[in-house]
Structures are given as C-alpha cells and as structure tokens.
Amino acid sequence: MVNERSGQKTDKKFRFLVTEHLGDDGLQILQDAGDVQLDVKIGVARDELLKILPAYDAIVTRSGTPMDKTAIEAGTNLRVIARAGVGVDNVDLQEASKRGIIVINAPTGNTLAATEQTMALMLSVIRLTPYAHASLKMGEWDRKRFTGRQMSGKKLLVIGLGRIGSGVASRCRAFGMEVMAYDPYVSEKKMQELGVQRVTDLMGSLSLADVVTVHVPITKETHGMINEKALRAIKHGAYLVNCARGGIVDEAACAQALRDGRLAGAAFDVFTQEPPSADHPLLADDLTDKIVLTPHIGANTVEAQGEVAKIAVSNALSALRGEEYDHAVNLPFMEQHLNYKQKNFLRLARKMGILAAKLIENDGGPAVKCKVTLRGPFLCDDDTPGNKLRPYTVAALKGFLEVTHGPDANYMIAPILAAERGIEVEETTGEPRTYRNVIDVAIEAQNATATLTGTITEEGRQHIVKMNDYWVDFVPHGQMLIFQNHDRPGVIGKIGKLLGDNNVNIANFNLGRKDTSGLALAVMEIDGTVSDELMSTLEHDVDMIWATTVKLNGETKE
Ligand code: NAD
C-alpha cells in the first residue's frame, strides 16, 4: 500500500473484512491481490463486528450487515464500505460521508439479470405460462383456456429508461413491439438511438399502451406513481409489470383493476412490504389466474452474483490504491472521470464559491441559498440526470463552504453541510449571453447577496467577468485584494502608495464601475500579504467601503 503522507510504498497491506457470502469471482480478486490481507467472517455477530472493525480499511457486505452510525463510528480506520449489490439501505450514507468513507455499490452487475427477469415476467403473464404449467401438473390438458396474447405489434410503455428500462426496450423491439418511453431525465439522443418514442404525458401514454413496465428507482416522485388514478387511465385490458421496486405501483389499486378487468394481467417481482403478508391484495384467490408473482429474484442469477461481487471488490480495491474507480454512491460526481475542460470549469466554480463567500463574509450573515446557473452547450449537457446536481454546482458550494466551514468541506460532504446549515441549493440552466459557456454563482445571505459570473476562454484561461453587478475582468489566481470604493479622483493612487509603502507589489489591477452609482469595485492581484494593520488603514484612511483579501490556489490553466 502507499503511505498517504510520504507517497512511498509500504509493506502494510489493505485489510479487508468480508461479512457475507460473495460470488467466488469477487473473493478471488481479494485472495489474489498481493497488497490485501483478507478476513472472511460470514455472519459475524454484531458485538464482535464492532470490536474488530477498527482493524480494517474496507468492509464488503451484502444487505445483511447493518453499517449504521454505531458501526461506522466503530470503524475508525475504515476508508471504504463496499456493497455487493445495488441497494445501500443498510449503510448510513450521511454518517459515512461525514467521515470521508467512500461507499461503493455495484449497480450494473445485475442489470442483465433484472432485464431478463422482466422479460420472463412479461412473457409469462401475457402467454399465461405459469397457469398452464400448474394446470398440466394437476393432470389437465386444457389448451383452450390458455390462449394468450402476442407481443408483436403491441405498444409497450417503459417508465424509466435507465439501464434496465433500455435493455427491456431493445428486447421488446426485437419482439416486434412499438416502444414508448417516459423518462424526463433521458436525452432525446438516447431515445432515438434506442428507437423508442419519447412521451411526456404519463397519463396520456398509459391510455395508449398494451403493456406497461416500470424501471424507475423508488423516490418521492416515483412512490405511488402507478396509483389508482394512473390505473384508471391505463388502456382497458393492458398488462402491467413491476420488476423495479415495491411501492411504485399501488398494489391494492392494482388488485382492484385486475378484478374489474381494467388490467388483463400483472406481474410483480417486488412488493411494498417484503415478503408480502398472507392477506396481501395481490395474493387474493380470485386473482390467481391473472397474476405472476416472484419473490424479488430479479438479480438472482449465478452470473449476476459473481458480477456484483467482482464490481464491488475491484472498485473498493482501486479506491484504496488511489486508482480510478466507479460507483461511489456518496460522491456527488467522480472527478477523475471529468475531462480536462470539465475539470477547468470545476476549479473555476470552486473559486467563484470562495470569492462569493469573501464578498459577504463581513456583514452578510448566514447564507440561505446557493444558486448556480449554467449557461452554454458545454455546461448544460442534458445527459446529467435531472435529479442530481452537476459537478460545477457542487464545486461552487464546496468553495463557499471552504471559507465558512473550513478546508475539510470536500465534494462528498458539501451538499450535506449545506442541508444541515439550511442553505437551499438551486441549479438552473440557461441560454448563453456574452460568452459561450458561463457559470453564474449567487450566494444569498440574510443581509447581502454576492453574485459572480465566470467563464473560460478558448485557450483555457479562467476569467471572472462580473462581480456584484460590476463588469470586471480578472483571472482568479494567487493573492488578491478586492475592495469597493467611492469613485473619486486620487483614491486608487492613495491605495497604490499605501501598498507600495508596505512592500506589497500590485501584479494586476482591474476596476469595474457602475454608471451613476459613484462606486467602483476593484480587484488587485498582489505579491506579498496585506497585514491586518494595513487592511485597517486601507479601510479607514482611503475612500473604501469594504475590502477583503483572498488567496486562490489551484491552476488557471493546465
Ligand atoms: P437506472 O438508474 O439506470 O435507471 C432509472 C431510470 O429512471 C433513469 O433513467 C431515470 O432518469 C429514471 N427516472 C427517475 N425518476 C423518474 C421519474 N420520476 N419519472 C420517469 N423516469 C424517472 O436504474 P436501473 O439499474 O435501470 O434500475 C431500475 C429499477 O430496477 C430500480 O428501481 C432498481 O432498484 C430496480 N432493480 C430491481 C432488481 C430486482 O431484483 N427486481 C434488480 C436490479 C434493479
């Protein structure tokens, strides 16, 4: 392993604890790694776990090991929690983020398994396969009763066109279905590539589809998405499949729609409460021939189990080794995956956050809102999921919090810190104006608002072009003195003299004026530091309204 301080290689090994059965492929990676010391303690008791956790750099779990606040506190040396699977309900993400522990999952490992299970459910319910099977096993030979429907030529509505939804869409197209998709967060380009028709009115499209399949995560927005109202909008005699998450479909309302004949059939792999109770509405005897139910086995294939273990373990190992890794669920974005230009905008946004904090630090009071507006094609790429903040917004927030909270405000905890401090974070996108791609940052505090506009030139130079409504133009770099002054003759001369007398050299100077306001805003890049005493002289003896200094490190161009 590499010593974090010296950067030198040491003989010390990364200590991994595995507490649940993992696919062999995953375990093999850890057993083969020369820099890993592995302990497998399947089903370790909670007390024992809390005792041994301080020894480990990483823990690999499935859903059966609660990594709650107490466990995370016990893992004083933990740097990674890896979940061999998708859900991270057993991990206290907030607590892990506060302690800088990376939480990794394996969301792609079971995509194919869940896609194929959706197809199995869809075909089973439409062709009545399980009922025909049960009938034959009972000694019957009833071919007429099991006359199903054909997929080809029918309309499918996919709700949620992510990994699994896309896989289902392309397989159903291969079956000859016409596919519509409802997913406001997916780009037109992706819909076109998949050959599906975008629909924006969920209720309207429900009335057109012969088969509806949901593939959204469970969120505030999607909870109860297919409720009584949606089920009344659905085309008479349609089929419904839920192989995503329990709670997206109102199960009682679905049972009633089946009973009324509004739905011809439904198939569920997931339930609001798992396992469902004996009196669950979908288990009612009168619905037996219209419903196919499986016990949340969407991810259960040998291949998927091996794949999730491999993904979780190899990413955990890479994270510890300081190499590139994927699927950190508590990082708002993966900096290493950004390209050069994106990283440059990221650094600019962070500096804008710092500058905004400095502009209001004296009498602004507590911040209440951080608003970031991204303008221009490069910054507004529409593949960013609509429910996630873009990296630039998080970077501006981080910069702001570095000043108000301290240097440990990293990308992981910046959104959490903002929420804890009651700072609303708003990200919007807009049309570019003077510059092709610009970031607007506005921090609203109780008594003041700081606004900045920044851009990057074609050569890659960061520029701040507007600050508190003053047009300026400076490169945010190095040691800076920023002040607002009465726009009178001689003021700048006095300031220059005072700085010179105190051995502070002016490397760059930029002045912005606002018509008729009688005020100006100046930004100086200086060599040397402005002492508290000099600052106080500047503020009192010269016509300054306020002044602040800021040191911006980080490159303007790389
Ligand atoms: P994904 O993140 O790749 O895709 C989810 C899609 O839903 C995204 O495209 C997103 O834009 C879209 N979405 C989010 N909110 C939406 C909304 N309000 N309206 C419309 N679209 C919305 O996820 P995935 O890997 O494809 O998984 C899809 C679902 O399948 C998840 O609920 C996941 O938990 C579930 N899943 C189930 C099993 C199983 O065992 N049955 C296995 C794996 C995944």
Side-chain angles (χ1 to χ4, degrees):
M1 92 193 256
V2 176
N3 182 302
E4 276 179 13
R5 287 203 182 148
S6 64
Q8 302 288 310
K9 282 208 165 178
T10 71
D11 289 337
K12 202 170 162 277
K13 299 191 173 200
F14 298 118
R15 292 202 60 185
F16 268 76
L17 175 64
V18 172
T19 55
E20 289 172 75
H21 286 289
L22 287 191
D24 289 344
D25 294 356
L27 269 189
Q28 198 62 48
I29 292 175
L30 293 175
Q31 281 157 354
D32 291 348
D35 54 353
V36 167
Q37 184 182 331
L38 172 65
D39 290 321
V40 180
K41 292 181 189 285
I42 308 293
V44 59
R46 170 83 172 174
D47 287 355
E48 173 69 4
L49 175 73
L50 297 183
K51 232 185 273 166
I52 61 174
L53 263 174
Y56 294 97
D57 299 292
I59 179 168
V60 188
T61 73
R62 292 185 63 194
S63 55
T65 309
M67 288 305 291
D68 51 18
K69 189 168 188 275
T70 312
I72 289 172
E73 274 170 358
T76 44
N77 290 306
L78 268 185
R79 287 164 58 202
V80 177
I81 299 171
R83 160 79 168 94
V86 181
V88 280
D89 317 354
N90 58 321
V91 182
D92 185 332
L93 288 181
Q94 185 134 333
E95 198 54 37
S97 303
K98 277 187 186 164
R99 289 167 185 272
I101 300 172
I102 302 164
V103 180
I104 285 173
N105 72 345
T108 52
N110 52 29
T111 299
L112 276 175
T115 303
E116 290 181 1
Q117 172 70 355
T118 306
M119 296 307 295
L121 288 173
M122 201 182 286
L123 284 162
S124 298
V125 75
I126 291 175
R127 291 304 302 267
L128 312 168
T129 315
Y131 328 126
H133 168 84
S135 157
L136 192 138
K137 287 282 282 181
M138 300 228 331
E140 297 168 0
W141 185 259
D142 188 348
R143 297 176 61 214
K144 200 155 177 262
R145 204 173 118 214
F146 301 115
T147 304
R149 304 297 299 267
Q150 180 175 292
M151 303 253 285
S152 182
K154 299 290 186 307
K155 280 199 172 96
L156 172 76
L157 172 64
V158 177
I159 303 177
L161 197 67
R163 288 178 290 262
I164 298 168
S166 303
V168 170
S170 52
R171 280 158 183 77
C172 286
R173 284 198 66 222
F175 269 78
M177 297 183 89
E178 195 183 310
V179 182
M180 305 179 282
Y182 174 78
D183 190 329
Y185 306 122
V186 159
S187 65
E188 192 61 49
K189 190 168 148 238
K190 181 173 171 189
M191 297 242 177
Q192 278 170 12
E193 278 166 9
L194 284 166
V196 308
Q197 183 201 338
R198 179 197 283 283
V199 289
T200 51
D201 170 12
L202 180 60
M203 292 299 157
S205 49
L206 282 170
S207 69
L208 299 173
D210 301 294
V211 183
V212 177
T213 182
V214 292
H215 300 287
V216 288
I218 183 90
T219 63
K220 261 195 224 148
E221 246 181 282
T222 62
H223 188 268
M225 196 176 202
I226 305 300
N227 55 12
E228 165 82 31
K229 187 173 163 218
L231 285 159
R232 291 210 170 269
I234 231 162
K235 182 175 175 179
H236 194 91
Y239 296 86
L240 174 67
V241 180
N242 182 6
C243 189
R245 278 284 175 267
I248 297 166
V249 177
D250 178 334
E251 291 151 9
C254 178
Q256 195 52 48
L258 286 163
R259 201 163 278 124
D260 295 349
R262 285 179 278 129
L263 278 179
F268 283 71
D269 184 49
V270 289
F271 304 88
T272 307
Q273 187 201 323
E274 294 184 357
S277 58
D279 61 351
H280 190 281
L282 294 176
L283 292 173
D285 285 342
D286 61 330
L287 299 179
T288 308
D289 286 358
K290 291 182 168 180
I291 197 142
V292 178
L293 306 174
T294 48
H296 203 149
I297 55 167
N300 289 21
T301 63
V302 173
E303 293 83 353
Q305 297 308 309
E307 196 57 25
V308 290
K310 240 165 65 182
I311 293 172
V313 161
S314 53
N315 280 307
L317 197 48
S318 297
L320 288 176
R321 286 175 177 159
E323 298 167 358
E324 281 205 9
Y325 62 96
D326 278 315
H327 308 314
V329 288
N330 58 341
L331 279 177
F333 61 91
M334 304 286 285
E335 191 177 355
Q336 59 199 342
H337 291 180
L338 302 181
N339 60 32
Y340 156 74
K341 195 170 167 187
Q342 288 170 318
K343 281 185 185 156
N344 206 3
F345 269 109
L346 191 80
R347 293 188 182 117
L348 171 68
R350 173 185 157 256
K351 289 177 186 175
M352 292 171 74
I354 294 175
L355 286 166
K358 296 298 285 184
L359 292 181
I360 52 171
E361 88 181 331
N362 287 338
D363 41 21
V368 290
K369 187 165 180 178
C370 168
K371 185 173 174 195
V372 176
T373 307
L374 305 169
R375 302 179 188 279
F378 180 76
L379 296 170
C380 307
D381 91 83
D382 61 0
D383 277 340
T384 305
N387 49 359
K388 266 182 94 174
L389 292 175
R390 286 178 173 82
Y392 318 111
T393 303
V394 182
L397 193 60
K398 169 179 149 61
F400 175 77
L401 291 166
E402 277 178 53
V403 177
T404 59
H405 174 85
D408 60 332
N410 56 31
Y411 292 123
M412 200 189 283
I413 63 166
I416 298 172
L417 283 175
E420 280 179 358
R421 288 162 175 235
I423 303 173
E424 185 196 340
V425 183
E426 185 185 312
E427 177 185 286
T428 50
T429 55
E431 287 300 311
R433 293 191 279 231
T434 315
Y435 301 91
R436 191 162 157 72
N437 288 292
V438 287
I439 302 179
D440 291 332
V441 173
I443 301 283
E444 287 171 27
Q446 222 158 295
N447 312 318
T449 297
T451 59
L452 290 117
T453 299
T455 189
I456 290 183
T457 63
E458 288 304 308
E459 302 79 44
R461 266 177 101 74
Q462 301 170 354
H463 279 253
I464 303 293
V465 294
K466 208 173 183 190
M467 202 153 77
N468 280 359
D469 287 335
Y470 288 83
W471 286 104
V472 288
D473 190 355
F474 67 93
V475 175
H477 174 69
Q479 182 77 38
M480 319 201 82
L481 172 66
I482 304 173
F483 54 87
Q484 193 171 24
N485 60 291
H486 291 286
D487 192 15
R488 293 178 192 137
V491 173
I492 302 302
K494 272 196 227 165
I495 294 169
K497 179 160 187 333
L498 263 173
L499 290 174
D501 291 348
N502 284 274
N503 223 13
V504 178
N505 183 44
I506 301 171
N508 240 314
F509 175 61
N510 193 274
L511 187 71
R513 301 166 72 177
K514 231 193 281 183
D515 290 347
T516 68
S517 73
L519 299 175
L521 188 100
V523 182
M524 285 179 177
E525 189 189 335
I526 52 177
D527 303 327
T529 45
V530 178
S531 65
D532 290 349
E533 201 187 335
L534 174 57
M535 192 65 151
S536 148
T537 315
L538 283 167
E539 280 178 323
H540 294 114
D541 295 2
V542 195
D543 257 355
M544 274 190 190
I545 296 161
W546 56 260
T548 186
T549 55
V550 56
K551 186 164 187 211
L552 292 173
N553 46 25
E555 318 64 22
T556 55
K557 184 180 174 188
E558 289 168 301

